Amino acid sequence: MGPTAPWLDPDLLPEASLGGDWGVHWHGESHPMSLDAILASLRREDAKDVAPIRWVEGDGASRVRPIQEVPALRPILAESHEKAFDQALASEGRATLLLGAVCAILLAVPLLRSGIFLPAIFFLQSLAGYIEARRARRMLREDPDRFFLQRALEARYTLWLASSRPRERWRVYAFALAWVLLFLIQVFVGMDDAVARAALVKPRVLAGEPWRLLTGTMLHGNLMHIFMNVSAW
């Protein structure tokens, strides 16, 4: 059997400390709370005075678990997700229609076509959000076990990522730093010259410059470009 993902390691989750009783786990500590109180809190998560519950223990489990893995909590979670998906579909749907109309107008007017880039990006983001909300809601309705399994895995991954030590994330920081340094070199030598020397130009690759396959992916067109890539990374 091959190695499994580190966030699936059972030892990642803290051991239960309430003797099998129900409780919530906040900031590394478990606090007793009845099942009814947990359910009531989940129903009121939109309220500003209610701290979100993401991890619980109880029902005889030996370790803390994400709420999506607790069968007793799934009905209220399904209701909450259904409401959230309906709201997302409404908001993303309106944004998609509005931005789609803006893009259509910009395309229809030749003098305005050069300004379509940002509206088109936001249109695609809204459309992707709408499609994702529809897909997730359909999965919740048709295959709730799979839906909650995915959410539980996401919760475990988030916990593992947050608990990883800085030295285990050096690759992320090093790669981002390399991007920034290369961008500064681009600015120093001139953007046009940097593109001429290192951009992915297929005829130059075939002519004996294979390094362009790597350097071309490391170039950035402007400050906003590198800001968005480093932020996402």
CSV table of all heavy atoms in Angstrom, one decimal, residues 95-110 112-127:
chain,number,residue,atom,x,y,z
A,95,ALA,N,-24.4,38.9,-11.1
A,95,ALA,CA,-23.2,39.4,-11.5
A,95,ALA,C,-22.8,39.0,-12.9
A,95,ALA,O,-22.2,39.7,-13.7
A,95,ALA,CB,-22.1,39.1,-10.5
A,96,THR,N,-23.1,37.7,-13.1
A,96,THR,CA,-22.7,37.1,-14.5
A,96,THR,C,-23.5,37.8,-15.6
A,96,THR,O,-23.0,38.2,-16.6
A,96,THR,CB,-23.0,35.6,-14.5
A,96,THR,OG1,-22.2,35.0,-13.5
A,96,THR,CG2,-22.7,35.0,-15.8
A,97,LEU,N,-24.8,38.0,-15.3
A,97,LEU,CA,-25.6,38.7,-16.3
A,97,LEU,C,-25.2,40.1,-16.6
A,97,LEU,O,-25.1,40.6,-17.7
A,97,LEU,CB,-27.1,38.6,-15.9
A,97,LEU,CG,-27.8,37.3,-15.9
A,97,LEU,CD1,-29.2,37.4,-15.4
A,97,LEU,CD2,-27.8,36.7,-17.4
A,98,LEU,N,-24.9,40.8,-15.5
A,98,LEU,CA,-24.5,42.2,-15.6
A,98,LEU,C,-23.2,42.4,-16.3
A,98,LEU,O,-23.0,43.2,-17.2
A,98,LEU,CB,-24.4,42.9,-14.2
A,98,LEU,CG,-23.9,44.3,-14.1
A,98,LEU,CD1,-24.8,45.2,-14.9
A,98,LEU,CD2,-23.8,44.8,-12.7
A,99,LEU,N,-22.2,41.6,-15.9
A,99,LEU,CA,-20.9,41.6,-16.5
A,99,LEU,C,-20.9,41.1,-17.9
A,99,LEU,O,-20.2,41.6,-18.8
A,99,LEU,CB,-19.9,40.8,-15.7
A,99,LEU,CG,-19.5,41.4,-14.3
A,99,LEU,CD1,-18.8,40.4,-13.5
A,99,LEU,CD2,-18.7,42.7,-14.5
A,100,GLY,N,-21.7,40.1,-18.2
A,100,GLY,CA,-21.9,39.7,-19.6
A,100,GLY,C,-22.4,40.8,-20.5
A,100,GLY,O,-22.0,40.9,-21.6
A,101,ALA,N,-23.4,41.5,-20.0
A,101,ALA,CA,-23.9,42.7,-20.7
A,101,ALA,C,-22.9,43.7,-21.0
A,101,ALA,O,-22.8,44.3,-22.1
A,101,ALA,CB,-25.1,43.3,-20.0
A,102,VAL,N,-22.1,44.0,-19.9
A,102,VAL,CA,-21.0,45.0,-20.1
A,102,VAL,C,-20.0,44.6,-21.2
A,102,VAL,O,-19.6,45.3,-22.0
A,102,VAL,CB,-20.3,45.2,-18.8
A,102,VAL,CG1,-19.0,46.1,-19.0
A,102,VAL,CG2,-21.2,45.9,-17.8
A,103,CYS,N,-19.6,43.3,-21.1
A,103,CYS,CA,-18.7,42.8,-22.1
A,103,CYS,C,-19.3,42.8,-23.5
A,103,CYS,O,-18.6,43.2,-24.5
A,103,CYS,CB,-18.3,41.3,-21.8
A,103,CYS,SG,-17.3,41.1,-20.3
A,104,ALA,N,-20.6,42.5,-23.7
A,104,ALA,CA,-21.2,42.6,-25.0
A,104,ALA,C,-21.2,44.0,-25.5
A,104,ALA,O,-21.0,44.3,-26.7
A,104,ALA,CB,-22.7,42.1,-24.9
A,105,ILE,N,-21.5,45.0,-24.6
A,105,ILE,CA,-21.5,46.4,-25.1
A,105,ILE,C,-20.1,46.8,-25.5
A,105,ILE,O,-19.9,47.5,-26.5
A,105,ILE,CB,-22.0,47.3,-23.9
A,105,ILE,CG1,-23.5,47.0,-23.6
A,105,ILE,CG2,-21.8,48.8,-24.3
A,105,ILE,CD1,-24.0,47.7,-22.4
A,106,LEU,N,-19.1,46.4,-24.7
A,106,LEU,CA,-17.7,46.8,-25.1
A,106,LEU,C,-17.3,46.2,-26.4
A,106,LEU,O,-16.6,46.8,-27.2
A,106,LEU,CB,-16.7,46.3,-24.0
A,106,LEU,CG,-16.9,47.1,-22.6
A,106,LEU,CD1,-16.0,46.5,-21.6
A,106,LEU,CD2,-16.6,48.6,-22.8
A,107,LEU,N,-17.7,44.9,-26.7
A,107,LEU,CA,-17.4,44.3,-27.9
A,107,LEU,C,-18.1,45.0,-29.1
A,107,LEU,O,-17.6,45.0,-30.2
A,107,LEU,CB,-17.8,42.8,-27.9
A,107,LEU,CG,-16.8,41.9,-27.1
A,107,LEU,CD1,-17.4,40.5,-27.0
A,107,LEU,CD2,-15.4,41.9,-27.7
A,108,ALA,N,-19.3,45.5,-28.8
A,108,ALA,CA,-20.1,46.1,-29.9
A,108,ALA,C,-19.6,47.4,-30.3
A,108,ALA,O,-19.9,47.9,-31.4
A,108,ALA,CB,-21.6,46.1,-29.5
A,109,VAL,N,-18.9,48.1,-29.4
A,109,VAL,CA,-18.4,49.4,-29.7
A,109,VAL,C,-16.9,49.4,-30.0
A,109,VAL,O,-16.1,49.1,-29.0
A,109,VAL,CB,-18.7,50.4,-28.6
A,109,VAL,CG1,-18.2,51.8,-28.9
A,109,VAL,CG2,-20.2,50.4,-28.3
A,110,PRO,N,-16.4,49.5,-31.2
A,110,PRO,CA,-15.0,49.3,-31.5
A,110,PRO,C,-14.0,50.2,-30.6
A,110,PRO,O,-13.0,49.7,-30.2
A,110,PRO,CB,-14.9,49.7,-33.0
A,110,PRO,CG,-16.3,49.4,-33.5
A,110,PRO,CD,-17.2,49.8,-32.4
A,112,LEU,N,-14.3,50.9,-27.6
A,112,LEU,CA,-14.3,50.5,-26.3
A,112,LEU,C,-13.7,49.1,-26.1
A,112,LEU,O,-13.5,48.6,-25.0
A,112,LEU,CB,-15.7,50.5,-25.7
A,112,LEU,CG,-16.4,51.9,-25.6
A,112,LEU,CD1,-17.8,51.7,-25.1
A,112,LEU,CD2,-15.6,52.9,-24.8
A,113,ARG,N,-13.4,48.4,-27.2
A,113,ARG,CA,-13.0,47.0,-27.1
A,113,ARG,C,-11.7,46.8,-26.3
A,113,ARG,O,-11.5,45.8,-25.6
A,113,ARG,CB,-12.8,46.4,-28.5
A,113,ARG,CG,-14.1,46.2,-29.2
A,113,ARG,CD,-13.9,45.7,-30.6
A,113,ARG,NE,-15.1,45.5,-31.3
A,113,ARG,CZ,-15.3,45.3,-32.6
A,113,ARG,NH1,-14.1,45.1,-33.3
A,113,ARG,NH2,-16.4,45.1,-33.1
A,114,SER,N,-10.8,47.8,-26.3
A,114,SER,CA,-9.6,47.7,-25.6
A,114,SER,C,-9.8,47.6,-24.1
A,114,SER,O,-8.9,47.2,-23.3
A,114,SER,CB,-8.6,48.9,-25.9
A,114,SER,OG,-9.2,50.1,-25.5
A,115,GLY,N,-10.9,48.0,-23.6
A,115,GLY,CA,-11.2,48.0,-22.1
A,115,GLY,C,-11.9,46.8,-21.6
A,115,GLY,O,-12.5,46.8,-20.5
A,116,ILE,N,-12.0,45.8,-22.5
A,116,ILE,CA,-12.8,44.6,-22.1
A,116,ILE,C,-12.1,43.6,-21.2
A,116,ILE,O,-12.7,42.7,-20.6
A,116,ILE,CB,-13.2,43.9,-23.4
A,116,ILE,CG1,-14.4,42.9,-23.1
A,116,ILE,CG2,-12.1,43.1,-24.0
A,116,ILE,CD1,-15.0,42.2,-24.3
A,117,PHE,N,-10.7,43.7,-21.0
A,117,PHE,CA,-10.0,42.7,-20.3
A,117,PHE,C,-10.5,42.5,-18.9
A,117,PHE,O,-10.9,41.4,-18.5
A,117,PHE,CB,-8.5,43.1,-20.3
A,117,PHE,CG,-7.6,42.1,-19.5
A,117,PHE,CD1,-7.3,40.9,-20.1
A,117,PHE,CD2,-7.2,42.4,-18.3
A,117,PHE,CE1,-6.6,39.9,-19.4
A,117,PHE,CE2,-6.4,41.5,-17.6
A,117,PHE,CZ,-6.1,40.2,-18.2
A,118,LEU,N,-10.5,43.5,-18.1
A,118,LEU,CA,-10.9,43.3,-16.7
A,118,LEU,C,-12.4,42.9,-16.6
A,118,LEU,O,-12.7,42.0,-15.8
A,118,LEU,CB,-10.7,44.6,-15.9
A,118,LEU,CG,-9.2,44.9,-15.5
A,118,LEU,CD1,-9.1,46.2,-14.7
A,118,LEU,CD2,-8.7,43.7,-14.7
A,119,PRO,N,-13.4,43.5,-17.3
A,119,PRO,CA,-14.7,43.0,-17.2
A,119,PRO,C,-14.8,41.6,-17.6
A,119,PRO,O,-15.6,40.8,-17.0
A,119,PRO,CB,-15.5,43.9,-18.2
A,119,PRO,CG,-14.7,45.2,-18.2
A,119,PRO,CD,-13.3,44.8,-18.1
A,120,ALA,N,-14.0,41.2,-18.6
A,120,ALA,CA,-14.1,39.8,-19.0
A,120,ALA,C,-13.6,38.8,-17.9
A,120,ALA,O,-14.1,37.7,-17.7
A,120,ALA,CB,-13.3,39.6,-20.3
A,121,ILE,N,-12.5,39.2,-17.2
A,121,ILE,CA,-12.0,38.4,-16.1
A,121,ILE,C,-13.0,38.3,-15.0
A,121,ILE,O,-13.3,37.2,-14.5
A,121,ILE,CB,-10.7,39.1,-15.6
A,121,ILE,CG1,-9.6,39.0,-16.6
A,121,ILE,CG2,-10.3,38.4,-14.3
A,121,ILE,CD1,-9.1,37.6,-16.9
A,122,PHE,N,-13.7,39.4,-14.7
A,122,PHE,CA,-14.7,39.3,-13.6
A,122,PHE,C,-15.9,38.5,-14.1
A,122,PHE,O,-16.5,37.8,-13.3
A,122,PHE,CB,-15.1,40.7,-13.2
A,122,PHE,CG,-14.0,41.4,-12.4
A,122,PHE,CD1,-13.6,42.7,-12.8
A,122,PHE,CD2,-13.4,40.9,-11.3
A,122,PHE,CE1,-12.5,43.3,-12.1
A,122,PHE,CE2,-12.4,41.5,-10.6
A,122,PHE,CZ,-12.0,42.8,-11.0
A,123,PHE,N,-16.2,38.6,-15.3
A,123,PHE,CA,-17.3,37.8,-15.9
A,123,PHE,C,-17.0,36.3,-15.7
A,123,PHE,O,-17.9,35.6,-15.3
A,123,PHE,CB,-17.6,38.2,-17.3
A,123,PHE,CG,-18.5,37.2,-18.1
A,123,PHE,CD1,-19.8,37.2,-17.9
A,123,PHE,CD2,-17.9,36.3,-19.0
A,123,PHE,CE1,-20.7,36.3,-18.5
A,123,PHE,CE2,-18.7,35.4,-19.6
A,123,PHE,CZ,-20.1,35.4,-19.4
A,124,LEU,N,-15.8,35.9,-16.1
A,124,LEU,CA,-15.5,34.5,-16.0
A,124,LEU,C,-15.4,34.0,-14.6
A,124,LEU,O,-15.8,32.9,-14.3
A,124,LEU,CB,-14.1,34.3,-16.7
A,124,LEU,CG,-14.1,34.5,-18.2
A,124,LEU,CD1,-12.6,34.3,-18.7
A,124,LEU,CD2,-15.0,33.5,-18.9
A,125,GLN,N,-15.0,34.9,-13.7
A,125,GLN,CA,-15.0,34.5,-12.3
A,125,GLN,C,-16.4,34.3,-11.7
A,125,GLN,O,-16.7,33.4,-11.0
A,125,GLN,CB,-14.3,35.6,-11.4
A,125,GLN,CG,-12.8,35.6,-11.7
A,125,GLN,CD,-12.1,36.7,-10.9
A,125,GLN,OE1,-12.7,37.7,-10.5
A,125,GLN,NE2,-10.8,36.5,-10.5
A,126,SER,N,-17.3,35.2,-12.1
A,126,SER,CA,-18.7,35.1,-11.7
A,126,SER,C,-19.3,33.9,-12.3
A,126,SER,O,-20.1,33.1,-11.6
A,126,SER,CB,-19.5,36.4,-12.0
A,126,SER,OG,-19.0,37.5,-11.4
A,127,LEU,N,-19.1,33.6,-13.5
A,127,LEU,CA,-19.6,32.4,-14.2
A,127,LEU,C,-19.1,31.2,-13.5
A,127,LEU,O,-19.9,30.2,-13.3
A,127,LEU,CB,-19.3,32.5,-15.7
A,127,LEU,CG,-19.8,31.3,-16.5
A,127,LEU,CD1,-21.3,31.2,-16.5
A,127,LEU,CD2,-19.3,31.4,-18.0
